[in-house]
Amino acid sequence: MRPAPQWPLPRVFAHRCGGALAPENTLSGLRIAAALGFRAVEFDVMLSGDGTPWLIHDETLERTTNAAGRVCDTADAALQRVDAGSFQHRAFAGEPLPTFDAAARLCLELGLMANVEIKPAAGFEAVTGEVVARRILELWQGAPLPLVSSFSEAALEAARRVAPPLPLGYLWVSPPADWQRRLDALGGYSLHCAAGKLDDSILGAARAGGVPVLCYTVNERTAAQSLLARGVAAVFSDRIDTLIGL
Ligand code: G3P
Ligand code: MG
């Protein structure tokens, strides 16, 4: 079985919620993406010390918040007090770190399709895949399910085990020679990779196998147009303001 999203893939996904227009992985980013007319967003999900899924990219809090330490060692009560906006610009001071639940509810309210990237801290791969996949089935009940991706094979396998209907994307920086076999074994839907690592042999094989290819991170309009013309299905972008109307 190879479940596909119940929504047409848009050509552009706002990367980390709202790309560079808002602090990454925040609710402000989701609102900005929707306000600019984008229909789909990508964001990263990791477990806290309490095992709750939150939106954050790094394993540590330093780069994107005013707190410090490892996300997987930090309790929910502490994450609730974090400022995840000031690092970007003081106009976003006080922006909360969103829980996955809050982000999911806002996506549903704004009509945004989501690519949920499971971003497990090292050592928490399977449990993160399980928790996030189970939560998706609860949060999106009756609505078209998000596309779920990860660099972690263990996380994807765990997600598949607990949530068979989820569409899965296999994420690599550079797809390995046996990417198709591994995607098939997972019952995966799409191949996600770095735009600079994509070559025509991968694209040709993907097209022949009916596998959509999604590329990150594409921040120039001409680069996005060229990838889409070559047969890439969609791009993830931080500069969604330059990709309006693609
Ligand atoms: O899912 C595509 C892209 O987000 C993967 O890279 O590091 O930005 O999560 P990263
Ligand atoms: Mg990501």
Side-chain angles (χ1 to χ4, degrees):
M1 191 174 65
R2 191 171 158 249
Q6 298 154 314
W7 35 281
L9 273 190
R11 289 153 73 88
V12 180
F13 284 73
H15 185 229
R16 304 186 190 175
C17 287
L21 304 182
E24 66 181 55
N25 288 315
T26 62
L27 300 184
S28 282
L30 296 179
R31 291 194 186 94
I32 285 174
L36 289 181
F38 288 90
R39 290 181 296 120
V41 292
E42 180 266 4
F43 50 76
D44 308 297
V45 182
M46 193 179 296
L47 299 184
S48 68
D50 290 322
T52 305
W54 292 77
L55 263 59
I56 190 159
H57 179 276
D58 297 5
E59 287 197 32
T60 52
L61 293 159
E62 279 83 345
R63 181 178 64 85
T64 57
T65 80
N66 63 344
R70 288 165 57 80
V71 178
C72 66
D73 292 336
T74 307
D76 292 342
L79 292 178
Q80 273 156 15
R81 293 193 296 270
V82 155
D83 176 340
S86 295
F87 84 96
Q88 167 106 352
H89 192 285
R90 68 178 178 211
F92 291 101
E95 175 79 32
L97 190 74
T99 59
F100 177 51
D101 284 30
R105 292 197 178 100
L106 188 56
C107 283
L108 288 163
E109 183 189 320
L110 296 172
L112 288 168
M113 298 303 152
N115 172 194
V116 177
E117 185 191 332
I118 302 172
K119 189 75 99 180
F124 293 85
E125 289 82 1
V127 67
T128 309
E130 270 180 44
V131 168
V132 175
R134 284 210 174 93
R135 201 71 203 115
I136 287 172
L137 294 185
E138 288 164 11
L139 289 160
W140 269 268
Q141 263 181 59
L145 292 170
L147 175 58
V148 174
S149 62
S150 189
F151 286 109
S152 163
E153 192 161 36
L156 289 169
E157 285 169 351
R160 167 63 70 236
R161 217 170 26 249
V162 301
L166 278 188
L168 299 181
Y170 213 140
L171 182 49
W172 282 283
V173 176
S174 179
D178 63 348
W179 70 264
Q180 221 160 354
R181 181 191 62 72
R182 290 163 74 173
L183 188 73
D184 285 347
L186 182 70
Y189 163 71
S190 48
L191 166 64
H192 304 208
C193 68
K197 301 291 186 183
L198 185 66
D199 63 36
D200 285 332
S201 70
I202 297 170
L203 258 178
R207 194 176 301 123
V211 175
V213 177
L214 287 74
C215 288
Y216 69 91
T217 310
V218 183
N219 292 335
E220 286 177 10
R221 191 174 181 91
T222 49
Q225 284 168 325
S226 151
L227 286 162
L228 295 168
R230 284 170 63 199
V232 167
V235 296
F236 300 99
S237 184
D238 289 325
R239 289 300 310 276
I240 52 175
D241 52 321
T242 69
L243 304 188
I244 289 169
L246 262 196

